[in-house]
C-alpha cells in the first residue's frame, strides 16, 4: 500500500516538474514520518526514499537509531532551545529556525561538535496567528544576523502554507516566498545561500513545485492519515 502511495506521489512530482519545465532532480521529496512506526519508514526506505522528516526531537533521534545510517533526517518542527543539543548531530537539515536566539543555541552546540549545521529560516508567509515562523518583513534582517554565526549556514527558506481545500489558494503565498528568497539572494550576504525552498505538503506540493519548491514535505500522501490519539 505504501509503495502504491509513493508511486502516486512520485508521478505527481514528475508531472509538476514537466509542467514547470523543471528537472526532476531539482526537487527532493522528504517523507514526513511523524507519528508513524519504524516499520512503515523501513518499507518506504526500501522503495528508495532516503529523506525523512520529523517534527519532534526525541522521535527523530529514536527512529534514527533503528534505521539505516544513510538516511537524511530533516527536523521540520518547532525547535526549543533546550532540545537543540539532542538533535544537533542527527539532523541533516533544520527547517525551522525562526529566531536569533534559537540560531545562537544551534551555533553553540554545533561548535561543540565541530560541525557547520545547515538551516532554513521558517517564514510565516500568510501571517497566520497559529503558526511559528518569522514574518516576511523580518526575514532579511534575521538572515543578516544569523549569517555572522560561524557554525551555522543558512541554505534557504521554509514555509508551512495555510491549510486549504484548493491548492490554488496557496499559489500566491508560494510566489511570495519565492520572490522573498530571490530578493535575499540578491543581497549577496556572506554565508547565506538561498538555494533551498522547502514548501508544499500533501495538499499542495504540485503547486509548490510549479512555484519553485526544491523540497516538498509529504506525510499523509505517503503514509496515510495520522492518528494522534493512539500514537
Ligand atoms: C506534518 C508536516 C508535514 C506533512 O503534512 P501532510 O499534510 O501530512 O503532508 C509537512 N511539513 C511540516 C512542517 C509538518 O509538520
Amino acid at each position: 500500500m505504501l509503495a502504491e502511495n509513493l508511486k502516486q506521489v512520485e508521478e505527481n512530482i514528475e508531472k509538476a516538474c514537466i509542467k514547470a519545465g523543471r528537472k526532476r532532480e531539482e526537487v527532493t521529496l522528504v517523507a514526513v514520518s511523524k507519528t508513524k512506526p519504524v516499520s512503515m519508514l523501513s518499507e518506504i526506505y526500501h522503495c528508495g526514499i532516503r529523506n525523512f522528516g520529523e517534527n519532534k526531537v526525541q522521535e527523530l533521534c529514536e527512529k534514527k537509531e533503528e534505521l539505516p545510517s544513510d538516511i537524511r533526517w530533516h527536523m521540520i518542527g518547532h525547535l526549543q532551545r533546550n532540545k537543540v543539543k539532542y538533535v544537533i548531530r542527527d539532523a541533516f537539515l533544520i527547517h525551522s529556525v525562526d529566531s536569533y536566539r534559537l540560531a545562537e543555541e544551534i551555533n553553540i552546540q554545533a561548535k561543540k561538535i565541530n560541525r557547520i549545521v545547515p538551516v532554513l529560516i521558517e517564514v510565516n508567509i500568510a501571517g497566520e496567528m497559529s503558526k511559528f515562523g518569522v514574518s516576511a518583513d523580518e526575514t532579511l534582517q534575521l538572515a543578516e544576523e544569523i549569517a555572522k554565526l560561524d557554525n551555522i549556514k543558512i541554505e534557504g527558506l521554509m514555509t508551512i502554507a495555510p491549510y486549504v481545500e484548493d491548492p490554488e489558494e496557496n499559489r500566491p503565498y508560494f510566489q511570495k516566498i519565492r520572490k522573498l528568497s530571490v530578493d535575499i539572494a540578491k543581497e549577496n550576504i556572506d554565508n547565506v545561500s538561498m538555494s533551498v525552498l522547502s514548501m508544499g505538503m500533501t495538499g499542495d506540493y504540485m503547486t509548490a513545485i510549479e512555484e519553485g519548491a526544491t523540497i516538498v514535505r509529504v506525510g499523509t500522501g505517503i503514509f496515510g492519515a495520522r492518528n494522534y490519539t493512539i500514537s
Side-chain angles (χ1 to χ4, degrees):
M1 183 196 94
L2 295 191
E4 271 304 305
N5 291 350
L6 181 61
K7 194 164 155 254
Q8 187 62 60
V9 171
E10 284 289 357
E11 279 174 19
N12 288 340
I13 290 175
E14 201 150 320
K15 260 189 230 159
C17 284
I18 289 168
K19 189 169 169 195
R22 301 180 63 195
K23 295 200 191 83
R24 172 64 188 86
E25 309 88 81
E26 291 173 32
V27 181
T28 300
L29 170 61
V30 170
V32 177
S33 46
K34 61 194 188 197
T35 80
K36 298 297 177 182
V38 166
S39 59
M40 287 175 94
L41 278 72
S42 184
E43 198 176 329
I44 286 296
Y45 176 88
H46 288 290
C47 296
I49 291 293
R50 292 295 178 271
N51 291 275
F52 287 88
E54 290 285 340
N55 68 340
K56 295 210 166 74
V57 168
Q58 192 182 348
E59 192 173 341
L60 186 156
C61 297
E62 283 172 7
K63 285 174 172 169
K64 183 175 196 281
E65 290 256 301
E66 293 184 51
L67 286 159
S69 59
D70 62 343
I71 291 178
R72 294 169 165 185
W73 293 94
H74 295 252
M75 176 60 200
I76 62 174
H78 181 63
L79 184 54
Q80 288 168 302
R81 280 181 300 142
N82 61 353
K83 302 260 175 76
V84 170
K85 56 179 175 291
Y86 303 115
V87 83
I88 199 79
R89 270 177 210 282
D90 291 349
F92 169 76
L93 178 64
I94 299 174
H95 291 227
S96 46
V97 171
D98 63 355
S99 73
Y100 183 72
R101 272 155 51 95
L102 174 60
E104 226 174 12
E105 177 63 16
I106 293 171
N107 189 56
I108 289 169
Q109 298 301 333
K111 198 163 277 179
K112 281 187 191 167
I113 60 165
N114 201 20
R115 224 195 121 186
I116 293 173
V117 170
V119 305
L120 306 178
I121 295 182
E122 180 173 350
V123 184
N124 184 352
I125 200 70
E128 291 175 283
M129 293 292 281
S130 59
K131 294 245 165 85
F132 292 106
V134 70
S135 74
D137 293 343
E138 297 162 329
T139 307
L140 174 60
Q141 197 193 337
L142 181 61
E144 285 170 337
E145 286 168 5
I146 295 175
K148 294 175 192 141
L149 301 169
D150 289 332
N151 286 67
I152 189 166
K153 170 91 172 50
I154 299 174
E155 298 284 1
L157 306 178
M158 178 272 226
T159 199
I160 304 173
Y163 179 80
V164 290
E165 292 290 331
D166 177 3
E168 283 304 319
E169 289 177 46
N170 278 337
R171 191 181 295 276
Y173 294 124
F174 294 143
Q175 289 171 338
K176 192 174 168 200
I177 193 166
R178 157 88 190 171
K179 179 174 186 302
L180 180 63
S181 122
V182 169
D183 288 346
I184 293 174
K186 278 189 198 141
E187 300 283 325
N188 274 318
I189 307 161
D190 250 14
N191 200 26
V192 175
S193 151
M194 282 287 134
S195 57
V196 177
L197 203 47
S198 170
M199 62 186 191
M201 312 185 358
T202 295
D204 55 19
Y205 62 91
M206 294 177 77
T207 310
I209 290 168
E210 287 166 25
E211 298 304 334
T214 68
I215 293 181
V216 291
R217 309 176 308 264
V218 179
T220 311
I222 296 172
F223 295 105
R226 286 175 294 273
N227 186 340
Y228 285 101
T229 56
I230 57 165
S231 61

